[in-house]
Structures are given as C-alpha cells and as structure tokens.
Amino acid sequence: MIENRWDRPSGKAVYVQVPFCPERCDYCAIPVTVSEGLLPDYLDALEYEVKRVRNAFRDESPVSVYIGGGSPTSIPQGSLDRLIALLAPFLEGAKEVTFESRPEALSDGILERLSRIGPGLRLSLGMEAIDGASLQALGRHSPVQDPITRLASLRQKTQASISMDFIITGDEFDLESFLGICRDLKASGLDHLSIYPLVIEEKTVLSLRKSQGKTKEDLEERAAENWRRCCDGLCAEGWVRYEVSNFARSDRDGCRHNIHVWRGGEFLGLGPGAHQTCGNVRSENVRSLLEYVRLSRGENRHPFAAREILSDKEVYYERLYTNLRLNTGLPLRWLRTGSDQESVRTILDEIVRNGYGTVDRTNEEVLVLSGEGLHLLDSIAERLLSASEDP
C-alpha cells in the first residue's frame, strides 16, 4: 500500500542520547558530563536498554537513527567502537544514521570508522558561530572553526551528508558576514543548515549570569530579531526552508529523522534525558546519568522519569501544530470544524490576506505558512486549534 503523505508515518525512528562533551557551554541545558570515567557504566546501561527495546524491530529496520549529545564523536575511539557495536541492531538497514559532532572532533580515524556504517551516514556539526565574539558570548572555549575550510576537508574524506548548526546571538552577530559564509557553504556543497536564536534556558550558566545582571536585558529579543532576518536572508540565497529553523540544499536534503518526528511518526529514545513516543504513549528518561545507570540494570526496569498516555485530542493537536512547522503544510481537512467552520474560514482568509501563508490546491487544500507566518507560528496555531472541533 502506498503511504499517503498526510498519514502518520509508518515505522519507528531511534534517538540515542550520548551525554558526554569536552566542555559545558554557557547556553547548554542538555544533561551532559565532562567526566569520561562514567563512560563504561553508561555503555553498560545503554546495552541493557537496547536489549529491552530491540524487539520493536524484529520485522523491520528503523526509519532512521539519530545519535546526539553532547558530542558522541568526542569520546575515545574504543568507546565509540563499542557504542556503534551495541547499536548495530538499529544501524543495520536504517536509511539514515546521523551523528552529532563538534567540528574539531572528526579526526581521520573517527571519520573512517563512521564511514563504515553505510551510505546513509549523516554528520551534524555543532559549529555554533563563525567568529570569536559570538563563540565567546555562547561560552564555548574551543577555537573558532572556519566553516568553509572544515567543509572542504570533510568533502575530501567522506561521502556523508553534512549539516551545520549555528546559534544566532545578539549585538555581536554580523548578519552580512554570516549570510556570505552560508552562500559560500551552499556553493561548496553543504547539504543542510540549522539555525536557532539564542535562548537563555533555566539551570544554565547564561541563566545565572542573567540573574546577576551580567547579560543585556534585551539579549534574547536581539537574538530573535537577528534570527528572523537571517532566515529571510537564507531563503533569498536559495536555501529551502523546509522547517522553522532548518534549511536544505533541495527538497531531498532534509533530515529524514526529524521530518519523521514532526509528521507524528513513532520514535524510541535511549539514554539519559531521551524522549520517546509510541502510539499515544510518551515517555522521558531520567536526566541524571548516575540515576540512568542505576535504573537501567535489571530485566524489568525502565529508566523513565515520566510516562503519560495522550488522549486522541492531544495527539491530534500536536500533529496539527508540528505539520504547520513544515513547508509541506497542513491539510485543511484536518481542521474538523463543524459549527466553527465559519470561524476557521475567517482565520484562513486573514492568514492569506496578511501574507502569512497560502492555500495550495494542487492535489488537496493545504495551508503552507510563509516566512512571516512561521515567525508567528505559535499564535496562528493557537487560533486554528481553538477554532477546531475535537477529533
């Protein structure tokens, strides 16, 4: 049977959290440690978890596997070899396998080992900034990596799809320089680009500095404005904005794993702090590495910190919101309007009239938000959801 592009995607994806990094940057709220001494215990615990969930793939391979962090490629080569070996039941047959990495961590030896995974390899480099001032604002202490030089070096050594992540900061951010580099990256064959505005999250060094009055009051507002201008600039340069913060060389170069999740597909989450959704059940693992190690031991124990069963209404609302994030848009038949049909039509007319989106009627009526509409995503989604009838 051919899958309708609006159906909930078939199959399951796998996300693996590797909570190790050479340093903790000031903006980072992810549960990571800089202590490699905990690696053996982590890998033992991950192996227990893999054994418990591998039966989910007895009859099929994962849609994708995403190994995030932290910086999975920064762990010692022997530990990386063991990580890849114990994830083998998932890696075999997966059409896409992503490894997150700090740009300086991809040594020739690491690249050679990763390249043996197969043709679906994807590398996601956390570049974060193009200049020392922005990197310093993020609290990262490693030297600035030139994106163009790094890409050229990788292209000589691997056939993997390559993505780069950047965090857009405040006053020190140079929009024209950044857009110029992204123009050169596209011309040099970069496959994918993710950009995010700097957000000060709780329990981070930046949050502490803010509470002490050591950051500018409008830091996040300035970063958000720079990010909006940057998104518009990237679209003008020919990058395909297929999701709010994600850009691809073409419609074929989007991240398969993330698209699967945004479309409402099921995914397993392994490792401390990892999330998963299977059917209407959503779970989150404990964030503490030590607690994860403790709970993972034993045949019938799971390292869950939280587990909830979503109602059909909650699942419907989530899918409606996440599909609005994508450039494939939202099928209007999902807006089950009943007595609110007139209200929904009014909202849609306002969206189109104000340039916040268009209704594509090529095969089916689909609402696709414009760049300006994506900047107003939350308010647009809230209005549409409030006017929609329960599924």
Side-chain angles (χ1 to χ4, degrees), residues 53-101:
V53 303
R54 64 187 299 177
N55 284 342
F57 299 101
R58 281 181 299 181
D59 302 320
E60 61 180 351
S61 298
V63 172
S64 59
V65 180
Y66 196 108
I67 298 109
S71 179
T73 58
S74 296
I75 64 178
Q77 178 89 47
S79 296
L80 180 63
D81 289 342
R82 186 183 172 198
L83 173 69
I84 293 172
L86 66 88
L87 294 178
F90 305 139
L91 300 178
E92 295 169 3
K95 295 182 176 63
E96 178 188 86
V97 177
T98 299
F99 269 84
E100 287 188 343
S101 178

Side-chain angles (χ1 to χ4, degrees), residues 28 170 246 262 264 282 289 379:
C28 182
N246 287 273
W262 288 320
R282 181 163 57 198
L289 174 55
S379 60

Side-chain angles (χ1 to χ4, degrees), residues 115-188:
S115 295
R116 281 187 268 144
I117 288 174
L121 179 64
R122 183 174 177 274
L123 301 175
S124 179
L125 278 63
M127 307 296 297
E128 314 310 5
I130 63 170
D131 61 87
S134 294
L135 208 61
Q136 184 177 13
L138 295 171
R140 175 171 286 192
H141 304 294
S142 57
V144 175
Q145 295 275 322
D146 176 59
I148 305 297
T149 302
R150 197 71 191 97
L151 177 62
S153 175
L154 289 172
R155 281 286 175 238
Q156 294 175 353
K157 300 170 184 176
T158 179
Q159 298 298 312
S161 176
I162 299 175
S163 175
M164 290 185 177
D165 291 8
F166 295 93
I167 297 175
I168 308 304
T169 56
D171 290 341
E172 60 284 318
F173 180 72
D174 186 333
L175 177 65
E176 292 306 316
S177 294
F178 183 78
L179 290 177
I181 284 178
C182 290
R183 184 184 311 121
D184 291 342
L185 285 170
K186 190 171 187 293
S188 300

Side-chain angles (χ1 to χ4, degrees), residues 269-284:
L270 311 180
H275 295 72
Q276 70 177 26
T277 299
C278 290
N280 283 28
V281 181
R282 181 163 57 198
S283 307
E284 178 185 358

